[in-house]
Amino acid sequence: MAFLKVPKKLKPFQPAPSVAQNTGSGDWKAYVRVLRPRQWTKNLIVFAAPLFAFSLNVESLVGALLAFGLFCCASSGFYIINDIVDVEADRLHPVKCKRPIAAGLIHIPIAIAMAVVLLGGSFLIGWLVDFGLGSTITCYALLQVAYNLRLKRTVILDVVAIAIGFVLRAYGGAAAANVALSPWFLLCTAMLALFLGIEKRKAELRLVEVGGRKPRKVLRRYSLSLLNRMENMVTTGTIMTYALWSSGPQVHGASTPWMMVTLPFVLYGVFRYQLLSDPQEIARRSDLDNEKGGQTERPEEVLLTDRPLLLTVIAWLSTTFLILLLNHQGIL
């Protein structure tokens, strides 16, 4: 499948009634949906750099916010490109057929212009603001090109590419916020991203079995037993690297060992996510709602829709901010 190749002829497709009624109506919501704003939660990791460095001030937060905006623009640009390239296949998919480009709500020339503006703007602003930020966004873009051309169809490397994307976001946030990163933070980010990628593949594979769908080529090389072994290794790495970072400055980690207090939240969050990706849990949820059964296929939706996981994240953030405040005042 050629990258950035605009399909010459679309296969006939009859959209769902709700989509067909809006086709050609110029609905502004279609232009928002094509950006996939739910996916922007992945870019929130740019704020982890100043947070983990205990460097929360106006300058660092403004820099991280700029990095967040630029990575959202870049990622949305690539989502649009993917929708253009896969428009014929999406029209035959029971869910993806409702995407704005596949449903005919946004014409392809307009979509191409949107992608060019989003990607071009993110590159230009990134390089003008900071060399590190600009180079990171450029590396992220090259990774996306490689992922769409080859890596997403290559077993193991597809998951590794997802992890590298998260590490680049974290590094971009650090460059924009002008903070130094702990090596344990980068390792923890990589391990957590690998964990999410493996869980995503587990959910996809299980949904194929439950729904009787034809698996994508890369999924045929995976098995639940292989993914479980990979998950065990990466889960251990995630917990250990976070524990080492939270141990304090003695191991070049957090500025205070009191961050060890947050370790139970991380443990519960990881275990909760494993529960949601468990084959039996997916089968149970799929019997009730196929979309809920495939939540771990879309990590950005799990964070927003699973209440226990969301409360865990809020509790971790609240505890971290409290420790940061007490440490700043010299109490800890």
Side-chain angles (χ1 to χ4, degrees):
M1 180 173 59
F3 191 67
L4 292 177
K5 180 179 178 183
V6 179
K8 295 181 180 180
K9 185 177 180 181
L10 301 178
K11 295 181 180 180
F13 172 77
Q14 181 63 39
S18 59
V19 175
Q21 291 174 0
N22 293 328
T23 302
S25 65
D27 188 355
W28 63 270
K29 293 182 180 179
Y31 290 91
V32 175
R33 286 195 294 118
V34 78
L35 301 177
R36 301 194 200 176
R38 285 191 174 186
Q39 300 278 355
W40 291 349
T41 55
K42 297 177 182 178
N43 299 321
L44 289 173
I45 197 171
V46 300
F47 293 98
L51 179 60
F52 275 60
F54 276 29
S55 178
L56 293 180
N57 51 59
V58 175
E59 181 182 357
S60 63
L61 291 178
V62 169
L65 184 61
L66 174 63
F68 175 76
L70 294 182
F71 273 104
C72 287
C73 289
S75 58
S76 291
F78 278 106
Y79 291 140
I80 293 174
I81 290 174
N82 291 339
D83 287 351
I84 294 172
V85 173
D86 297 335
V87 63
E88 293 189 35
D90 288 350
R91 285 174 177 261
L92 302 177
H93 193 277
V95 176
K96 295 180 180 180
C97 66
K98 298 179 182 180
R99 290 178 176 175
I101 296 176
L105 298 175
I106 298 177
H107 297 297
I108 289 180
I110 296 178
I112 293 176
M114 291 176 65
V116 170
V117 171
L118 289 168
L119 289 172
S122 63
F123 292 152
L124 179 61
I125 297 175
W127 280 104
L128 288 176
V129 170
D130 181 82
F131 174 81
L133 179 59
S135 59
T136 303
I137 293 178
T138 302
C139 289
Y140 173 80
L142 293 175
L143 176 67
Q144 292 302 309
V145 173
Y147 182 80
N148 286 281
L149 281 175
R150 182 68 181 178
L151 296 181
K152 71 178 182 180
R153 292 181 291 275
T154 305
V155 66
I156 297 177
L157 290 183
D158 60 332
V159 178
V160 172
I162 293 174
I164 294 175
F166 278 95
V167 173
L168 287 174
R169 291 179 178 99
Y171 187 83
N178 194 27
V179 298
L181 290 178
S182 163
W184 295 120
F185 165 75
L186 287 175
L187 284 173
C188 184
T189 300
M191 289 295 173
L192 181 59
L194 281 172
F195 170 78
L196 293 176
I198 292 169
E199 297 301 303
K200 178 181 174 67
R201 289 293 178 265
K202 282 181 62 179
E204 290 174 335
L205 191 61
R206 183 56 183 166
L207 280 176
V208 167
E209 296 178 356
V210 172
R213 303 175 187 171
K214 184 177 180 181
R216 294 187 293 113
K217 185 177 180 180
V218 70
L219 286 179
R220 297 172 185 169
R221 301 291 304 278
Y222 285 110
S223 66
L224 287 178
S225 60
L226 171 63
L227 291 171
N228 284 333
R229 293 196 300 271
M230 293 171 64
E231 176 191 58
N232 291 336
M233 180 184 299
V234 171
T235 301
T236 302
T238 302
I239 300 301
M240 288 302 299
T241 51
Y242 184 85
L244 285 168
W245 171 82
S246 63
S247 297
Q250 294 86 354
V251 292
H252 303 287
S255 59
T256 171
W258 279 96
M259 281 301 296
M260 287 288 290
V261 175
T262 64
L263 184 57
F265 298 121
V266 175
L267 283 169
Y268 177 81
V270 170
F271 293 157
R272 175 69 186 179
Y273 204 99
Q274 285 183 313
L275 170 66
L276 296 177
S277 67
D278 184 75
Q280 293 183 358
E281 181 70 9
I282 289 178
R284 186 185 70 81
R285 289 175 173 247
S286 297
D287 289 339
L288 301 175
D289 186 339
N290 195 51
E291 282 297 302
K292 284 187 176 296
Q295 275 188 330
T296 50
E297 182 186 2
R298 301 176 296 274
E300 68 283 351
E301 293 188 12
V302 176
L303 180 62
L304 297 175
T305 56
D306 186 68
R307 183 175 297 177
L309 194 58
L310 181 59
L311 291 175
T312 302
V313 173
I314 293 174
W316 179 86
L317 285 172
S318 301
T319 306
T320 300
F321 277 117
L322 178 61
I323 294 173
L324 176 60
L325 177 62
L326 295 177
N327 183 69
H328 182 71
Q329 293 180 349
I331 298 176
L332 296 181

